[in-house]
Amino acid sequence: MAPVLYLVIPCYNEEQVLPLTSGKFKGKLDELIEAGKISSKSRVMFVNDGSKDTTWDILTSLCEESEEYCAISLSRNRGHQNALIAGLMEAKKYADITISMDCDGQDDINAITEMVDEYAKGSEIVYGVRNDRTTDSWFKRTTAQSYYKVLRGMGVDIIPDHADYRLMSARVLNALEGYGEVNLFLRGIIPQLGFKQSFVYYSRAEREAGTTHYPLSKMLSLAIDGITSFSVRPLRLITGFGLIVALLSFIGIIYVLASVISGNYVDGWASTTCIICFVSGIQMISLGVIGEYIGKIYLETKQRPRYFIAERKNITEE
Ligand code: UDP
Ligand code: MG
C-alpha cells in the first residue's frame, strides 16, 4: 500500500510567497500520487503561525479550492520550531510519513521524490542536506560553518547544512512526541532518536518573495538554544577556566609573599587593576552562562503548553 504523505509547511506572514509556491506543493503531491508512490489521501498541510497579514485568508481559500490542502492555525505566533512541531503532531494522526519544509520555495521541491524513494527503501528519517551555500551571503556562510564546528566541539550531534527539510515516519514522530521540552531545537533532537536514516542532497534557492524571519538576533538566539539545550560543556569550560585562574592566583600569591619577605615591593597599581578587570570580566561571563542554563530550567519546569490550535481547515477534529 502506498504511504500517506503529509507535507508540513509553517507559514508566518507569507502572503507574498504563498500564491507563488502553494500550487507547486500540490503539483508535486499530484505527481507522486499519479506515479503510485504515495496514497491519494496525501495532503499539503499548512501551519499558520499567528500571521498578522492575510496568510490565513489565503490558506482558507486554498482549502476551499482543493481537498488536497489542509491547514491549522495557531492561537498566536509561537515561532518556527513550535509551528513545526504543531504541524507534525497534527499530521501524525493521519499520515504514514511527513516532510517538513519552508513555504518560501527555498527547499527544492524535487528532493521530495528522492526522500519518498529513500523511505520506500527502508529509511525512517531522511535529511535534506544543502550541497552548497552559494545562495547565502558571505556572512551567513561563515557564521553557519563556525557554528557547526562549535556545536560539534560541544558534543552536540547535528547534521551540517541541514535545516528543517526532512522526512520522518509516523514511528519517528511517535518517538519525537516524547520530547516535551519547551526550548525546542528539532535539529538537535532528531539525530538522537536513532532509526534508519539517509540523506538527500539539494541546492537551496533564494526566497521567492518576502523577507526572512531570521534576522541576526533570532539566528543568534536559535544558535544559543542549540548549544544550551544539548550540551553542558560550557559549564565545564567555566569550571576549567576557574581552575586555571585559581592556579595562576596561587602562583601570584607566592610571588607577592616572596616580594614582601625580601622587602622588594613597589606600588603595583597597574597589575592589580588589570587582574581585577580580567577576573571580574570572566566572572560576569560565567554568571551569564550559568544564568542561561538556570533560565532554561525555569522555563522547562513550568511545562507550559507549546501551542494551541485555534482553527482547522479540511481536518475533522477528533
Ligand atoms: N516561520 C514560522 N514562524 C515564525 C518564523 C518563521 O512559521 O515565527 C516559518 C516561515 O514562514 C518559513 C519558515 O518558518 O516557512 C522559515 O522561515 P524563513 O524562510 O523566514 O527563514 P530562513 O529560510 O530565512 O532561515
Ligand atoms: Mg526561508
Side-chain angles (χ1 to χ4, degrees):
M1 259 269 287
V4 177
L5 167 69
Y6 270 56
L7 295 180
V8 176
I9 305 171
C11 310
Y12 176 56
N13 294 348
E14 298 285 12
E15 61 183 6
Q16 293 181 39
V17 166
L18 280 170
L20 304 173
T21 55
S22 53
K24 293 185 189 167
F25 297 129
K26 183 171 171 294
K28 191 72 199 171
L29 216 62
D30 288 335
E31 180 194 316
L32 290 171
I33 293 172
E34 194 93 341
K37 291 191 180 196
I38 57 172
S39 152
S40 57
K41 288 193 196 130
S42 301
R43 296 283 180 271
V44 180
M45 178 190 267
F46 293 106
V47 182
N48 174 36
D49 184 16
S51 299
K52 291 171 185 73
D53 63 2
T54 59
T55 298
W56 183 240
D57 303 328
I58 298 174
L59 294 179
T60 309
S61 56
L62 283 174
C63 290
E64 275 158 18
E65 242 169 62
S66 166
E67 272 216 312
E68 272 176 76
Y69 294 114
C70 61
I72 59 175
S73 187
L74 304 189
S75 59
R76 49 162 285 205
N77 180 248
R78 295 298 294 135
H80 181 204
Q81 300 290 299
N82 285 315
L84 265 178
I85 198 85
L88 290 170
M89 289 305 130
E90 184 72 16
K92 181 169 79 76
K93 301 179 192 162
Y94 318 97
D96 299 312
I97 41 177
T98 58
I99 295 179
S100 50
M101 60 195 299
D102 282 11
C103 71
D104 53 16
Q106 287 194 286
D107 297 329
D108 178 17
I109 211 155
N110 294 311
I112 293 177
T113 317
E114 264 181 81
M115 286 185 178
V116 172
D117 289 344
E118 286 296 322
Y119 170 77
K121 282 190 235 155
S123 294
E124 301 216 38
I125 305 176
V126 187
Y127 297 98
V129 178
R130 303 173 57 169
N131 54 15
D132 71 87
R133 277 192 168 263
T134 44
T135 49
D136 277 359
S137 65
W138 173 86
F139 180 72
K140 188 152 183 175
R141 198 160 53 230
T142 358
T143 46
Q145 272 158 1
S146 347
Y147 179 57
Y148 289 126
K149 280 206 192 107
V150 172
L151 272 183
R152 290 251 155 162
M154 295 284 168
V156 185
D157 191 9
I158 192 165
I159 318 277
D161 294 332
H162 159 73
D164 283 297
Y165 188 18
R166 71 176 85 78
L167 177 146
M168 285 184 277
S169 71
R171 219 150 65 101
V172 169
L173 291 173
N174 280 330
L176 182 62
E177 197 173 21
Y179 285 69
E181 56 215 79
V182 290
N183 297 291
L184 200 59
F185 186 64
L186 286 168
R187 266 167 255 187
I189 298 176
I190 313 289
Q192 291 188 350
L193 300 176
F195 298 99
K196 193 165 183 295
Q197 328 189 324
S198 56
F199 305 90
V200 160
Y201 296 88
Y202 73 101
S203 68
R204 194 165 165 89
E206 303 268 6
R207 213 172 212 284
E208 293 209 9
T211 48
T212 177
H213 300 99
Y214 277 99
L216 189 60
S217 59
K218 257 199 189 172
M219 240 159 56
L220 215 60
S221 93
L222 187 72
I224 292 175
D225 259 357
I227 296 174
T228 51
S229 298
F230 290 91
S231 170
V232 290
R233 219 165 272 185
L235 295 176
R236 296 232 178 95
L237 286 177
I238 289 177
T239 315
F241 216 85
L243 283 175
I244 294 171
V245 172
L247 192 74
L248 289 177
S249 325
F250 188 67
I251 297 169
I253 289 169
I254 293 174
Y255 170 75
V256 169
L257 285 179
S259 311
V260 171
I261 290 165
S262 66
N264 174 27
Y265 63 97
V266 286
D267 321 339
W269 178 81
S271 58
T272 314
T273 313
C274 286
I275 291 169
I276 290 174
C277 290
F278 175 70
V279 174
S280 43
I282 299 276
Q283 278 176 341
M284 284 312 234
I285 295 172
S286 308
L287 277 178
V289 175
I290 295 169
E292 184 70 30
Y293 283 92
I294 295 177
K296 286 256 147 75
I297 299 169
Y298 172 66
L299 290 173
E300 294 296 349
T301 47
K302 291 200 233 197
Q303 295 200 322
R304 288 188 176 160
R306 290 185 284 209
Y307 58 85
F308 297 110
I309 298 178
E311 269 182 85
R312 291 176 167 82
K313 293 280 177 228
N314 283 355
I315 305 171
T316 41
E317 203 172 341
E318 282 164 36

